[in-house]
C-alpha cells in the first residue's frame, strides 16, 4: 500500500494538473470540472461501507453508511480517476468541503493504475495511458468522528435501506455505485459491494419498498398495484444541478 499525506500536500500545493481517484459517490457524481476521466484501480485497499454519514445520506440521529477504503495488502479497489487542470481553482475547495468538512475524509496520495487498454493503435499511446499515476484520494480512517466500522452485512444493508440524507436515500448511493461498477468495469470483483446490493434489493422486496421510487423514478404500472409501503420520494443527488450537491452550496 503506497499512500502518503506529505505527497498529497505537495500535490495540492503544485500548480499543475493532478488526478483525483474516486471509489464511492465520486465515481457517479464527481461534482467538479475535469479534463478527462479514466477507470482503473488502486492496490493495497479494499472498499467497505464502514464510514458513517450524517449529511448527504444520513442524519445525526440516523447516520447512513458510505464508502471508504481499508488497508488490505492483497486488496484492489476499482473506481474512476479524474484529471483536474492546473487552472481549476474550484475543484479542491469543493472537494475539501464535500469530503473533509462534511464527510470526515482526509487526503492521501496513492498510485492509480489505469485500466489496461485491450487494443490500441500504437504501443506508445498504450504505454503513456496505462502507466500508473499519482492520484489524490479521500479516505475515512477509524479515528474520524463519523467512523462506524465493521458490522454484519445484513445489519449494514438494513441501515442503508432505512437511512436518507440531504442528497437522498442511502440506498441510492449504494445502488448507483453498484450500477457504475457493472456498467463501466464489469470485470471488477467487489464481494462486499455486490453482497450489500443483493441484500438491500432483497430486504426492499420483502418490505414491499419500491426501489424505483426510492431512486426517484416512477414505478411501472404493475409495480404500483403491489407496492404497499412506498418510501416518500425525496430530492435526489441525481437531480442535483451539475457540479452542485444540495448540502454543499458552492
Ligand atoms: N471518497 C470516496 C467517497 C466519497 C463520498 O461518497 N462522499 C460522500 C459522503 S461525504 C458524498 O460526497 N456523497 C454525495 C452523495 O451521497 O451524493 C470517493 O472517492 O468516492
Amino acid at each position: 500500500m503506497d499512500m502518503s499525506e506529505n505527497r498529497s500536500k505537495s500535490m495540492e500545493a503544485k500548480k499543475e494538473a493532478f488526478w483525483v481517484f474516486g471509489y464511492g459517490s465520486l465515481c457517479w457524481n464527481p461534482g467538479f470540472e475535469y479534463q478527462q476521466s479514466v477507470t482503473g484501480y488502486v492496490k493495497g485497499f479494499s472498499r467497505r461501507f464502514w464510514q458513517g454519514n450524517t449529511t448527504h445520506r444520513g442524519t445525526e440521529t440516523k447516520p447512513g453508511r458510505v464508502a471508504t477504503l481499508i488497508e488490505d495488502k492483497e486488496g484492489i479497489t476499482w473506481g474512476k480517476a479524474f484529471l483536474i487542470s492546473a487552472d481549476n481553482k474550484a475543484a479542491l475547495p469543493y472537494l475539501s468541503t464535500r469530503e473533509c468538512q462534511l464527510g470526515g475524509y482526509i487526503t492521501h496520495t496513492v498510485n492509480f493504475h489505469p485500466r489496461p487498454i485491450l487494443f490500441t493503435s500504437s504501443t506508445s499511446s498504450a504505454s503513456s495511458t496505462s502507466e500508473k499515476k499519482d492520484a489524490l484520494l479521500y479516505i475515512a480512517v477509524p479515528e474520524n468522528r463519523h467512523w462506524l466500522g465493521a458490522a454484519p452485512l445484513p445489519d449494514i444493508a438494513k441501515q442503508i435501506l432505512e437511512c436518507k440524507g440531504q442528497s437522498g436515500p442511502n440506498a441510492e448511493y449504494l445502488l448507483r455505485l453498484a450500477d457504475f461498477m457493472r456498467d463501466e468495469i464489469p470485470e471488477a470483483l467487489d464481494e462486499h459491494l455486490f453482497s450489500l446490493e443483493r441484500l438491500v434489493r432483497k430486504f426492499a422486496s420483502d418490505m414491499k419498498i419500491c426501489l424505483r421510487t426510492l431512486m426517484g423514478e416512477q414505478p411501472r404500472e404493475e409495480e404500483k398495484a403491489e407496492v404497499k409501503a412506498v418510501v416518500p420520494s425525496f430530492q435526489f443527488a441525481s437531480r442535483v444541478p451539475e457540479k452542485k450537491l444540495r448540502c454543499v452550496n458552492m
Side-chain angles (χ1 to χ4, degrees), residues 2 5-6 9 13 21 57 68 71 78 81 89 95 114-115 120 132 170 182 184 197 219 230 241:
D2 176 13
E5 203 148 351
N6 300 335
K9 293 282 179 274
F21 178 68
R57 301 293 168 169
T68 186
E71 292 180 24
W78 288 83
K89 304 303 179 200
L95 283 166
R115 187 178 181 196
T120 177
K132 69 181 180 183
N170 200 175
R182 249 190 310 272
E184 299 210 23
E197 182 197 23
V230 173

Side-chain angles (χ1 to χ4, degrees), residues 10 24 35 63 68-69 82 96 101 109 126-128 140 142 155 171 199 202 205 213 215 233 241:
S10 64
Q35 282 180 318
T68 186
L69 297 178
F82 301 87
S96 174
Q101 288 170 39
T109 302
S127 60
S128 60
D155 295 355
L199 285 165
K202 179 190 180 314
S205 165
T213 307
M215 300 280 281
S233 68

